[in-house]
PDB file of all heavy atoms in Angstrom:
ATOM      1  N   ASN A  49     -13.436  -6.585   5.920  1.00  0.00           N
ATOM      2  CA  ASN A  49     -13.131  -7.611   6.918  1.00  0.00           C
ATOM      3  C   ASN A  49     -14.175  -8.745   6.885  1.00  0.00           C
ATOM      4  O   ASN A  49     -15.334  -8.528   6.821  1.00  0.00           O
ATOM      5  CB  ASN A  49     -13.162  -7.055   8.309  1.00  0.00           C
ATOM      6  CG  ASN A  49     -11.993  -6.153   8.608  1.00  0.00           C
ATOM      7  OD1 ASN A  49     -10.851  -6.498   8.345  1.00  0.00           O
ATOM      8  ND2 ASN A  49     -12.282  -4.953   9.133  1.00  0.00           N
ATOM      9  N   TYR A  78      -7.090 -16.314  18.256  1.00  0.00           N
ATOM     10  CA  TYR A  78      -7.300 -15.405  17.107  1.00  0.00           C
ATOM     11  C   TYR A  78      -6.287 -15.811  16.024  1.00  0.00           C
ATOM     12  O   TYR A  78      -5.110 -15.938  16.318  1.00  0.00           O
ATOM     13  CB  TYR A  78      -7.051 -13.964  17.556  1.00  0.00           C
ATOM     14  CG  TYR A  78      -6.861 -12.996  16.428  1.00  0.00           C
ATOM     15  CD1 TYR A  78      -7.905 -12.133  16.013  1.00  0.00           C
ATOM     16  CD2 TYR A  78      -5.637 -12.830  15.785  1.00  0.00           C
ATOM     17  CE1 TYR A  78      -7.687 -11.188  15.006  1.00  0.00           C
ATOM     18  CE2 TYR A  78      -5.423 -11.884  14.792  1.00  0.00           C
ATOM     19  CZ  TYR A  78      -6.463 -11.116  14.391  1.00  0.00           C
ATOM     20  OH  TYR A  78      -6.253 -10.175  13.410  1.00  0.00           O
ATOM     21  N   MET A  80      -5.139 -15.287  11.786  1.00  0.00           N
ATOM     22  CA  MET A  80      -5.376 -14.695  10.457  1.00  0.00           C
ATOM     23  C   MET A  80      -4.994 -15.705   9.420  1.00  0.00           C
ATOM     24  O   MET A  80      -3.876 -16.232   9.419  1.00  0.00           O
ATOM     25  CB  MET A  80      -4.502 -13.447  10.303  1.00  0.00           C
ATOM     26  CG  MET A  80      -5.271 -12.162  10.651  1.00  0.00           C
ATOM     27  SD  MET A  80      -4.555 -10.618  10.217  1.00  0.00           S
ATOM     28  CE  MET A  80      -3.005 -10.899   9.484  1.00  0.00           C
ATOM     29  N   VAL A  85      -4.559 -11.470   3.911  1.00  0.00           N
ATOM     30  CA  VAL A  85      -3.871 -10.178   3.658  1.00  0.00           C
ATOM     31  C   VAL A  85      -3.253 -10.212   2.243  1.00  0.00           C
ATOM     32  O   VAL A  85      -3.172 -11.287   1.640  1.00  0.00           O
ATOM     33  CB  VAL A  85      -2.726  -9.960   4.709  1.00  0.00           C
ATOM     34  CG1 VAL A  85      -3.312  -9.576   6.006  1.00  0.00           C
ATOM     35  CG2 VAL A  85      -1.785 -11.131   4.821  1.00  0.00           C
ATOM     36  N   GLU A  87      -0.109  -9.681   1.045  1.00  0.00           N
ATOM     37  CA  GLU A  87       1.056 -10.560   1.000  1.00  0.00           C
ATOM     38  C   GLU A  87       0.668 -11.797   1.823  1.00  0.00           C
ATOM     39  O   GLU A  87       0.118 -11.644   2.905  1.00  0.00           O
ATOM     40  CB  GLU A  87       2.269  -9.893   1.694  1.00  0.00           C
ATOM     41  CG  GLU A  87       2.679  -8.579   1.047  1.00  0.00           C
ATOM     42  CD  GLU A  87       3.458  -8.821  -0.233  1.00  0.00           C
ATOM     43  OE1 GLU A  87       4.199  -9.803  -0.306  1.00  0.00           O
ATOM     44  OE2 GLU A  87       3.248  -8.005  -1.187  1.00  0.00           O
ATOM     45  N   LYS A  89       0.358 -14.362   4.529  1.00  0.00           N
ATOM     46  CA  LYS A  89       0.836 -14.342   5.942  1.00  0.00           C
ATOM     47  C   LYS A  89       1.327 -15.738   6.261  1.00  0.00           C
ATOM     48  O   LYS A  89       0.670 -16.730   5.942  1.00  0.00           O
ATOM     49  CB  LYS A  89      -0.283 -13.949   6.836  1.00  0.00           C
ATOM     50  CG  LYS A  89       0.098 -13.782   8.290  1.00  0.00           C
ATOM     51  CD  LYS A  89      -1.052 -13.941   9.253  1.00  0.00           C
ATOM     52  CE  LYS A  89      -0.553 -14.257  10.661  1.00  0.00           C
ATOM     53  NZ  LYS A  89      -0.162 -15.633  10.847  1.00  0.00           N
ATOM     54  N   ASP A  94       1.829 -15.965  15.832  1.00  0.00           N
ATOM     55  CA  ASP A  94       3.019 -15.070  15.911  1.00  0.00           C
ATOM     56  C   ASP A  94       2.770 -14.155  17.105  1.00  0.00           C
ATOM     57  O   ASP A  94       1.719 -14.254  17.779  1.00  0.00           O
ATOM     58  CB  ASP A  94       3.199 -14.311  14.602  1.00  0.00           C
ATOM     59  CG  ASP A  94       1.914 -13.609  14.162  1.00  0.00           C
ATOM     60  OD1 ASP A  94       1.042 -13.354  15.013  1.00  0.00           O
ATOM     61  OD2 ASP A  94       1.811 -13.309  12.971  1.00  0.00           O
ATOM     62  N   ARG A  96       1.847 -11.081  17.344  1.00  0.00           N
ATOM     63  CA  ARG A  96       0.630 -10.306  17.233  1.00  0.00           C
ATOM     64  C   ARG A  96      -0.582 -11.124  17.592  1.00  0.00           C
ATOM     65  O   ARG A  96      -1.434 -10.726  18.314  1.00  0.00           O
ATOM     66  CB  ARG A  96       0.553  -9.742  15.843  1.00  0.00           C
ATOM     67  CG  ARG A  96      -0.704  -8.921  15.582  1.00  0.00           C
ATOM     68  CD  ARG A  96      -0.725  -8.346  14.186  1.00  0.00           C
ATOM     69  NE  ARG A  96      -2.042  -7.807  13.847  1.00  0.00           N
ATOM     70  CZ  ARG A  96      -3.023  -8.456  13.385  1.00  0.00           C
ATOM     71  NH1 ARG A  96      -2.897  -9.742  13.128  1.00  0.00           N
ATOM     72  NH2 ARG A  96      -4.182  -7.865  13.120  1.00  0.00           N
ATOM     73  N   ILE A 100      -3.239 -10.589  20.561  1.00  0.00           N
ATOM     74  CA  ILE A 100      -4.666 -10.342  20.258  1.00  0.00           C
ATOM     75  C   ILE A 100      -5.561 -11.400  20.891  1.00  0.00           C
ATOM     76  O   ILE A 100      -6.633 -11.106  21.421  1.00  0.00           O
ATOM     77  CB  ILE A 100      -4.889 -10.218  18.739  1.00  0.00           C
ATOM     78  CG1 ILE A 100      -4.144  -8.941  18.219  1.00  0.00           C
ATOM     79  CG2 ILE A 100      -6.361 -10.092  18.411  1.00  0.00           C
ATOM     80  CD1 ILE A 100      -4.313  -8.644  16.780  1.00  0.00           C
ATOM     81  N   SER A 131      -8.800  -9.417   5.859  1.00  0.00           N
ATOM     82  CA  SER A 131      -8.618  -8.366   6.866  1.00  0.00           C
ATOM     83  C   SER A 131      -8.307  -7.018   6.277  1.00  0.00           C
ATOM     84  O   SER A 131      -7.637  -6.910   5.249  1.00  0.00           O
ATOM     85  CB  SER A 131      -7.465  -8.764   7.796  1.00  0.00           C
ATOM     86  OG  SER A 131      -6.228  -8.547   7.170  1.00  0.00           O
ATOM     87  N   ASP A 132      -8.873  -6.024   6.919  1.00  0.00           N
ATOM     88  CA  ASP A 132      -8.634  -4.630   6.454  1.00  0.00           C
ATOM     89  C   ASP A 132      -8.701  -3.684   7.673  1.00  0.00           C
ATOM     90  O   ASP A 132      -9.361  -2.666   7.625  1.00  0.00           O
ATOM     91  CB  ASP A 132      -9.662  -4.238   5.401  1.00  0.00           C
ATOM     92  CG  ASP A 132      -9.285  -2.946   4.664  1.00  0.00           C
ATOM     93  OD1 ASP A 132      -8.099  -2.655   4.515  1.00  0.00           O
ATOM     94  OD2 ASP A 132     -10.197  -2.209   4.318  1.00  0.00           O
ATOM     95  N   ALA A 133      -8.044  -4.067   8.718  1.00  0.00           N
ATOM     96  CA  ALA A 133      -7.933  -3.323   9.992  1.00  0.00           C
ATOM     97  C   ALA A 133      -9.263  -3.362  10.840  1.00  0.00           C
ATOM     98  O   ALA A 133     -10.329  -3.379  10.245  1.00  0.00           O
ATOM     99  CB  ALA A 133      -7.534  -1.854   9.772  1.00  0.00           C
ATOM    100  N   GLY A 134      -9.057  -3.408  12.109  1.00  0.00           N
ATOM    101  CA  GLY A 134     -10.232  -3.454  13.029  1.00  0.00           C
ATOM    102  C   GLY A 134     -10.622  -4.877  13.335  1.00  0.00           C
ATOM    103  O   GLY A 134     -11.707  -5.110  13.881  1.00  0.00           O
ATOM    104  N   THR A 135      -9.738  -5.846  13.086  1.00  0.00           N
ATOM    105  CA  THR A 135     -10.159  -7.254  13.204  1.00  0.00           C
ATOM    106  C   THR A 135     -10.291  -7.716  14.608  1.00  0.00           C
ATOM    107  O   THR A 135     -11.078  -8.581  14.935  1.00  0.00           O
ATOM    108  CB  THR A 135      -9.199  -8.207  12.420  1.00  0.00           C
ATOM    109  OG1 THR A 135      -7.893  -8.041  12.984  1.00  0.00           O
ATOM    110  CG2 THR A 135      -9.142  -7.888  10.966  1.00  0.00           C
ATOM    111  N   ARG A 136      -9.505  -7.142  15.597  1.00  0.00           N
ATOM    112  CA  ARG A 136      -9.622  -7.604  16.951  1.00  0.00           C
ATOM    113  C   ARG A 136     -10.992  -7.217  17.531  1.00  0.00           C
ATOM    114  O   ARG A 136     -11.632  -7.956  18.222  1.00  0.00           O
ATOM    115  CB  ARG A 136      -8.464  -7.080  17.817  1.00  0.00           C
ATOM    116  CG  ARG A 136      -8.545  -5.668  18.256  1.00  0.00           C
ATOM    117  CD  ARG A 136      -7.238  -5.212  18.842  1.00  0.00           C
ATOM    118  NE  ARG A 136      -6.172  -5.246  17.833  1.00  0.00           N
ATOM    119  CZ  ARG A 136      -4.887  -5.229  18.077  1.00  0.00           C
ATOM    120  NH1 ARG A 136      -4.463  -5.186  19.341  1.00  0.00           N
ATOM    121  NH2 ARG A 136      -4.002  -5.252  17.133  1.00  0.00           N
ATOM    122  N   CYS A 137     -11.430  -5.981  17.166  1.00  0.00           N
ATOM    123  CA  CYS A 137     -12.740  -5.536  17.636  1.00  0.00           C
ATOM    124  C   CYS A 137     -13.882  -6.362  17.027  1.00  0.00           C
ATOM    125  O   CYS A 137     -14.821  -6.730  17.726  1.00  0.00           O
ATOM    126  CB  CYS A 137     -12.888  -4.046  17.269  1.00  0.00           C
ATOM    127  SG  CYS A 137     -11.798  -3.016  18.208  1.00  0.00           S
ATOM    128  N   ASP A 179      -5.242   2.909   8.845  1.00  0.00           N
ATOM    129  CA  ASP A 179      -4.534   2.372   9.992  1.00  0.00           C
ATOM    130  C   ASP A 179      -3.017   2.456   9.756  1.00  0.00           C
ATOM    131  O   ASP A 179      -2.233   2.817  10.647  1.00  0.00           O
ATOM    132  CB  ASP A 179      -4.968   0.913  10.156  1.00  0.00           C
ATOM    133  CG  ASP A 179      -4.309   0.265  11.367  1.00  0.00           C
ATOM    134  OD1 ASP A 179      -3.198  -0.282  11.237  1.00  0.00           O
ATOM    135  OD2 ASP A 179      -4.956   0.250  12.420  1.00  0.00           O
ATOM    136  N   ASP A 185      -4.510   4.702  16.480  1.00  0.00           N
ATOM    137  CA  ASP A 185      -5.542   3.706  16.400  1.00  0.00           C
ATOM    138  C   ASP A 185      -5.915   3.275  17.786  1.00  0.00           C
ATOM    139  O   ASP A 185      -5.017   2.940  18.546  1.00  0.00           O
ATOM    140  CB  ASP A 185      -4.998   2.545  15.534  1.00  0.00           C
ATOM    141  CG  ASP A 185      -6.030   1.431  15.343  1.00  0.00           C
ATOM    142  OD1 ASP A 185      -7.259   1.743  15.305  1.00  0.00           O
ATOM    143  OD2 ASP A 185      -5.629   0.266  15.338  1.00  0.00           O
TER     144      ASP A 185
HETATM  145  P1  ADP B 317      -6.470  -4.939  13.897  1.00  0.00           P
HETATM  146  O1  ADP B 317      -6.825  -5.840  12.771  1.00  0.00           O
HETATM  147  O2  ADP B 317      -7.199  -5.270  15.168  1.00  0.00           O
HETATM  148  O3  ADP B 317      -6.726  -3.451  13.532  1.00  0.00           O
HETATM  149  P2  ADP B 317      -3.644  -4.369  13.762  1.00  0.00           P
HETATM  150  O4  ADP B 317      -3.791  -2.935  14.009  1.00  0.00           O
HETATM  151  O5  ADP B 317      -2.523  -5.133  14.351  1.00  0.00           O
HETATM  152  O6  ADP B 317      -4.967  -5.183  14.234  1.00  0.00           O
HETATM  153  O7  ADP B 317      -3.571  -4.651  12.184  1.00  0.00           O
HETATM  154  C1  ADP B 317      -4.244  -3.812  11.266  1.00  0.00           C
HETATM  155  C2  ADP B 317      -4.332  -4.529   9.942  1.00  0.00           C
HETATM  156  O8  ADP B 317      -2.984  -4.748   9.428  1.00  0.00           O
HETATM  157  C3  ADP B 317      -4.939  -5.919   9.964  1.00  0.00           C
HETATM  158  O9  ADP B 317      -6.356  -5.917  10.040  1.00  0.00           O
HETATM  159  C4  ADP B 317      -4.385  -6.485   8.691  1.00  0.00           C
HETATM  160  O10 ADP B 317      -5.176  -6.125   7.606  1.00  0.00           O
HETATM  161  C5  ADP B 317      -3.018  -5.887   8.587  1.00  0.00           C
HETATM  162  N1  ADP B 317      -2.023  -6.870   9.065  1.00  0.00           N
HETATM  163  C6  ADP B 317      -1.766  -7.231  10.327  1.00  0.00           C
HETATM  164  N2  ADP B 317      -0.835  -8.180  10.369  1.00  0.00           N
HETATM  165  C7  ADP B 317      -0.412  -8.339   9.101  1.00  0.00           C
HETATM  166  C8  ADP B 317       0.559  -9.238   8.469  1.00  0.00           C
HETATM  167  N3  ADP B 317       1.309 -10.073   9.166  1.00  0.00           N
HETATM  168  N4  ADP B 317       0.669  -9.143   7.121  1.00  0.00           N
HETATM  169  C9  ADP B 317      -0.102  -8.295   6.414  1.00  0.00           C
HETATM  170  N5  ADP B 317      -1.030  -7.479   6.927  1.00  0.00           N
HETATM  171  C10 ADP B 317      -1.219  -7.525   8.275  1.00  0.00           C
END
Side-chain angles (χ1 to χ4, degrees):
N49 288 311
Y78 163 100
M80 266 192 358
V85 287
E87 300 284 324
K89 185 204 161 281
D94 51 23
R96 176 177 172 274
I100 294 183
S131 78
D132 191 33
T135 60
R136 78 193 63 199
C137 293
D179 183 275
D185 179 34

